[in-house]
Each structure stands twice: as C-alpha cells, then as structure tokens.
Amino acid sequence: MTGLDLSSPVAVVGTGTMGQGIAQVALVAGHPVRLYDAAPGRARDAAGAIGARLDRLVAKGRLTEADRDAARARLEPVDNLADLADCGLVVEAVLERLDVKQRLFGELEEIVAEDCLLATNTSSLSVTAVGGTLRHPGRFVGLHFFNPAPLLPLVEVVSGFATDVTSATRAYETARAWGKTPVACADTPGFIVNRIARPFYAEAFAVHEAQAADPATIDAVLRECGGFKMGAFELTDLIGQDVNESVTQSVWQSFFQDARFTPSLAQRRLVESGRLGRKSGRGWYDYADGAERPEPHTADKEQPPAYVIAEGGLGPAAELLALIREAGIRVREEDEDHGTRLVLPSGGQLVLADGQTSAEFRDVVYFDLALDYRTATRVALSAAQDTSPRTLAEATGLFQALGKDVSVIGDVPGMIVARTVARIIDLAHDAVAKGVATEEDIDTAMRLGVNYPLGPFEWDRRLGRDFAFDVLDEMHERDPSGRYAPSLALYRHAYATDKREGTS
C-alpha cells in the first residue's frame, strides 16, 4: 500500500508551533494544505509564518524560489471545518485535552469522506480514547511528530485498539513519502520514546535527590561519559520543567502508578516554584543575563598508580586495559572466578558499577559505565565514607593518567550512567515483550527522537545480555520498592544466556 496521493489535500487543525511544522512538512512534500484554527485569524497568521519559513529555506539554499512559490500557492487558511470536506488526511494538533479532541473528531467525521484518514498528534493521550467515540474508529491513527517537525525525522505511527491495519499502513507510508522516518507502535502510555526515555530524567533526579551529586556534575557525566548530547537537567530546562513533568505524570498515572515511572519530587517543587527552565529564566540552572553556569565537580590532580592487577577482566570496560598500558602503567592480568576488578597498589579495588555500593565492601571504589572509554573525557567514581583515601587517590590518578576528568560522587548504587542505561534497556525489552514495537523500531525511535548515542538494544548487545539485569537486580535488592525490579522480559533475556552457556 502506498501513502496519500500528492493531489489529495492535507488538513492541519490547530496552528500552534507543532501544527505549523506539520503543515510545512506536508506542503514541502507537494500536497495542497489547508489550515484551520478555532481562533479567528490564527490560521491566516500561521500561513504567513509558514511562508516566512519557506523564505528562510530559500535564503539557505534548501528550497528553490520556484518550489517556494508553488508551495505558497498550495497553502490555504480556511475559516470553517466544512472547508476540509475533500481532504484525504486531517491531522489534529490542538490542546492536549481528551474532550476537546473527541469533540473535534466527532465534527470532522460528519464532514469528511469515509476514506479520509483521521490522525492525532497527541503525545500523552490514548489514541484509542481520542478515537473511541467515532462511528468509524478504524480510520483513526496517531501521527506523533517531534518538535520542530520540519527538522526532526522521527514520526511515531500509533495504532489504537480499533485502528485498521490498512489505515496504519497508509499513515506510515505517507510519513515516509514526506521524508520522515516512521516507526510503528501500539497505543500504550508514552508510545515508544516518552515511555522508554523516562529513566534518563528519573535516574538523574534520583541521584540528585540522594545528595550524591549536583545537577552540573550529573549532566557532565551523562554527556562526557555516557555519550548523551545533553544532560537530564539541561534538557528538561530546554523542554520546560512543566512540560516534562506533565508527560512523566501522564505515563505514571496511565500505568496505574507503576513504581518504574514514579515522578520526581524535586522536579515537582521546581514546577511549583515557577522555575520552568529557559522559558521562565530559571530552572535547574539560572538563565538570567550574566548568570554563571555552575561547573561540574572535578577532582584535584592525583598521582597515578605504578601498576594495577586486573582480575577476571573488566567486562564492558575491558577497553580500559589497553588504555592503561598506553598510559605507561603496568597491567598484570589474573584469571579469577570471583569477579572482575582492578586491584590497586593500596590493596583497594576498582570495580565497574554493578548496582551495589562501596559501603558494603572493604576499600572498594566504583567507576561508572562509559559509552566509549577511549573517547570519554570524564569518568565518575564513587566511594564510601570509610574508603581509604589512598585507594580513592590512586583510582582518581589512574583515570586522570588516561586523560579523563574525574568526578567523585556519593555512594549510590548503579552510579549515574550504568543505572540509567540499565533501566532504558529494561523498559525496551518490556515494550517488545508486550507488543509495543519491534527492537529495530525502538532503537530507531530512541536515536532519532531523543538523540541517544545508541538504541537500547544496540547498547544491550555491546554491554552483554546480562549487564542490565545484573545491575537492576542488585539495585532492586537495595531498593525493593519495585522501581528497579527487572522486567520478566529482561529476566528471560538474561536467563536464556545462562541456559545456553550451560550454567545455572
């Protein structure tokens, strides 16, 4: 099945930022586009704004003058819903209220032809519920664009409970014909991206609430060690704390207050105080003119150890052994059955974050997971209050000798990157097991929708099938609230490895 024919008009109802963006996408793809907004004059204002953006595309050499003129000729603001009668697709981008959307589509159903595809751009409401009052809900689908729609390639094509396969396929192919990268998903809270991305924010906030590190340090570790483009605090300031928290609350409530999606009290207080981020001038950070951006905690210079003993390899951090040798530090490798660690000259141990805490052991310093230890510019360490100062100094000096800045954080299980990635991987496996989307579509969605350096399954394959399970299993033992309980899907994934390898 192919997408919507180019001769078929596309209607966009709601002409805010998202509505204008969707209209521009359809327009540049070659469709006649009709704009409607319930507020008088707003559709014409939106048409003018879209025309101005087309002018900027011409100035940047991304659109020819002839194509701009043709696009402008195809763009028509209208004053009545009845003017959308011959459209082949209507995309709604109005207020995120169920009653408003249901009423709109009820009116549209009386106007458009039976083969007209109806789509909602909702990011937080149930597609099934929005289309649930229609006489013909089979033609109703979610088309979730990401802001700004003309620039971001991802579109989540969401099938409600009553959506026909042919309608979903038609919507999918239309998005692809518009130059977008569509992913198919079932109608569950948060769809793909907003469901699986929750731990990126939640775990950063949890580390902060535990007084283990400040926002600037957590953001720096996520960026410079984890490979994320932005840290959780700066990203939510950009999105808007009220917007981000609203999505979190919606997903949490829709999953019947599942502990895995518990909102942050610290973020709630931020919203209550009106510190919404960049748009209000202050959020986690201060954006007033002249305000200084806080610097991440960076440890003072320490001497590197003369040697390390590598016991049992380092698993996902095995690359460190080559880096240590390249730095001129002697490495002696020993096969051990009781774990993977580096032993320092002090006798203390340096261990990859595994969901346990330094306080449980004698003289153990944990180091965080990195996307790529060779290119990482910062590494986080954690230690207990009674950890030997010499051991912490040697661990710090070791990573500094590898060219890394070192941030020492509090003794929290899973540290920062490891716990975040483990939880993202877990939610991804859970989503596949419950038929939300395929592994490939989830990886695509997380890379394109929120710009993650790797998709969850790409990360899982790199780390090893049991890494995420082991981290979460240990964290669940220390926090039995259910927040870190590995899903049954992740359990099966990890256990299948053991079974295949003949272990118990």
Side-chain angles (χ1 to χ4, degrees):
M1 176 179 287
T2 58
L4 195 67
D5 189 272
L6 282 180
S7 63
S8 184
V10 172
V12 178
V13 179
T15 58
T17 300
M18 184 59 76
Q20 290 180 31
I22 295 170
Q24 181 180 328
V25 170
L27 194 65
V28 172
H31 288 274
V33 173
R34 295 188 190 149
L35 294 173
Y36 172 81
D37 198 293
R42 190 167 291 175
R44 283 178 172 74
D45 291 343
I50 293 170
R53 282 199 290 272
L54 296 178
D55 288 340
R56 289 195 290 272
L57 291 178
V58 171
K60 294 177 181 178
R62 298 176 184 173
L63 192 69
T64 67
E65 291 186 2
D67 287 341
R68 176 200 60 193
D69 295 342
R72 278 181 166 169
R74 294 193 301 270
L75 181 60
E76 180 185 1
V78 298
D79 296 323
N80 300 292
L81 281 178
D83 295 324
L84 311 182
D86 63 338
C87 289
L89 167 65
V90 180
V91 183
E92 162 273 316
V94 302
L95 189 66
E96 283 284 274
R97 275 182 44 187
L98 180 61
D99 60 333
V100 172
K101 293 178 187 292
Q102 286 179 330
R103 184 165 57 250
L104 170 63
F105 283 110
E107 294 174 5
L108 285 168
E109 193 173 38
E110 301 297 327
I111 295 169
V112 299
E114 290 187 3
D115 62 348
C116 176
L117 194 63
L118 299 178
T120 175
N121 183 58
T122 185
S123 61
S124 59
L125 298 176
S126 162
V127 171
T128 301
V130 175
T133 58
L134 296 177
R135 294 194 310 274
H136 304 291
R139 62 168 165 177
F140 189 77
V141 66
L143 275 178
H144 182 215
F145 289 78
F146 289 75
N147 192 30
L151 296 180
L152 294 186
L154 184 69
V155 177
E156 292 177 319
V157 181
V158 187
S159 292
F161 186 78
T163 303
D164 292 335
V165 173
T166 53
S167 297
T169 303
R170 190 177 175 205
Y172 184 98
E173 293 300 333
T174 296
R176 186 159 65 176
W178 289 358
K180 296 301 181 182
T181 302
V183 292
C185 64
D187 181 25
T188 60
F191 311 140
I192 297 175
V193 172
N194 280 332
R195 172 179 180 154
I196 295 173
R198 295 346 292 164
F200 179 73
Y201 314 109
E203 294 313 306
F205 298 162
V207 171
H208 173 55
E209 289 175 336
Q211 301 293 297
D214 60 276
T217 299
I218 296 170
D219 277 354
V221 172
L222 286 168
R223 289 193 314 268
E224 300 171 36
C225 184
F228 293 95
K229 298 298 182 184
M230 297 181 74
F233 296 90
E234 58 189 343
L235 180 55
T236 53
D237 268 358
L238 179 64
I239 294 169
Q241 298 302 331
D242 53 338
V243 173
N244 182 262
E245 196 219 15
S246 176
V247 173
T248 299
Q249 289 278 355
S250 175
V251 172
W252 179 57
Q253 295 288 356
S254 297
F255 276 115
F256 309 104
Q257 300 185 356
D258 187 327
R260 296 175 301 167
F261 301 101
T262 302
S264 162
L265 181 59
Q267 188 180 39
R268 175 92 291 264
R269 293 292 179 259
L270 208 66
V271 173
E272 289 173 340
S273 69
R275 296 181 178 184
L276 306 181
R278 289 180 179 271
K279 63 185 177 183
S280 70
R282 188 166 185 178
W284 295 110
Y285 300 109
D286 188 349
Y287 298 95
D289 290 342
E292 292 186 9
R293 181 70 174 263
E295 293 293 326
H297 167 76
T298 302
D300 292 336
K301 186 70 175 176
E302 300 286 356
Q303 289 297 314
Y307 67 91
V308 295
I309 301 171
E311 294 185 347
L314 292 180
E319 184 182 24
L320 280 175
L321 298 181
L323 299 180
I324 293 170
R325 289 189 175 98
E326 290 169 16
I329 299 170
R330 289 183 289 116
V331 177
R332 188 173 80 213
E333 295 189 56
E334 296 182 356
D335 292 330
E336 294 287 341
D337 295 330
H338 55 269
T340 59
R341 61 193 180 185
L342 291 175
V343 179
L344 300 165
S346 65
Q349 302 170 28
L350 189 56
V351 181
L352 175 63
D354 59 6
Q356 301 182 81
T357 61
S358 294
E360 302 167 54
F361 305 97
R362 181 181 176 277
D363 220 14
V364 166
V365 173
Y366 278 103
F367 66 95
D368 209 349
L369 177 69
L371 173 69
D372 183 334
Y373 284 101
R374 183 171 291 277
T375 59
T377 57
R378 182 179 299 271
V379 172
L381 302 179
S382 68
Q385 289 184 347
D386 59 354
T387 299
S388 162
R390 180 185 171 191
T391 295
L392 182 57
E394 288 178 344
T396 300
L398 174 65
F399 280 103
Q400 289 173 338
L402 307 186
K404 319 299 181 187
D405 286 329
V406 173
S407 293
V408 179
I409 69 170
D411 187 19
V412 289
M415 300 193 68
I416 297 171
V417 180
R419 70 197 286 169
T420 300
V421 171
R423 289 209 58 217
I424 289 170
I425 289 171
D426 180 52
L427 290 187
H429 276 284
D430 185 54
V432 170
K434 292 177 178 173
V436 175
T438 65
E439 290 186 10
E440 181 181 4
D441 276 356
I442 288 175
D443 275 353
T444 298
M446 301 313 291
R447 281 188 284 101
L448 299 183
V450 278
N451 212 12
Y452 283 3
L454 293 174
F457 294 98
E458 293 172 318
W459 226 319
D460 189 36
R461 288 188 290 272
R462 177 182 289 197
L463 296 174
R465 292 169 63 103
D466 55 355
F467 177 83
F469 176 83
D470 288 346
V471 169
L472 294 180
D473 194 41
E474 294 288 359
M475 292 188 69
H476 177 56
E477 184 176 332
R478 288 149 185 82
D479 177 3
S481 65
R483 180 185 181 113
Y484 300 105
S487 66
L488 180 59
L490 189 64
Y491 175 84
R492 287 171 171 160
H493 177 67
Y495 180 69
T497 306
D498 291 342
K499 196 172 182 180
R500 187 172 55 251
E501 293 174 353
T503 61
S504 57

